[in-house]
Amino acid sequence: MNLAIAQYNDIVTSATEIATIAHLQGTYPKEELEEKRNRIIEMLQKSSEQEELALSYIQKALVNIQAQ
């Protein structure tokens, strides 16, 4: 369960970073916005992978609890 919680904490961190980038969007030069856009896409993909991993940890924990 601790691994699953850690994965979800990473997702929250990514979401916070995305929100910060979006909030400051007007302050970035146009060229830098493309780089930020690509970074957001990467973070969203990573978040999806982290969620799948977190869910697998939860499933394993449930199996262990049921086995006891």
Side-chain angles (χ1 to χ4, degrees):
M1 288 302 280
N2 288 336
L3 292 172
I5 292 168
Q7 292 300 316
Y8 279 109
N9 285 337
D10 286 345
I11 292 169
V12 170
T13 299
S14 293
T16 302
E17 189 174 342
I18 289 168
T20 301
I21 290 170
H23 177 70
L24 299 174
Q25 181 175 347
T27 63
Y28 292 117
K30 192 168 188 167
E31 307 80 41
E32 196 174 335
L33 286 175
E34 182 68 25
E35 179 184 323
K36 298 292 181 189
R37 176 185 174 275
N38 291 336
R39 174 79 174 120
I40 289 171
I41 290 169
E42 288 173 15
M43 284 189 290
L44 290 171
Q45 289 171 336
K46 183 179 177 190
S47 290
S48 176
E49 293 166 4
Q50 289 171 322
E51 185 171 19
E52 288 178 25
L53 188 57
L55 289 172
S56 74
Y57 291 146
I58 291 170
Q59 288 174 329
K60 288 176 186 177
L62 286 174
V63 167
N64 288 334
I65 289 170
Q66 291 172 346
Q68 294 178 0

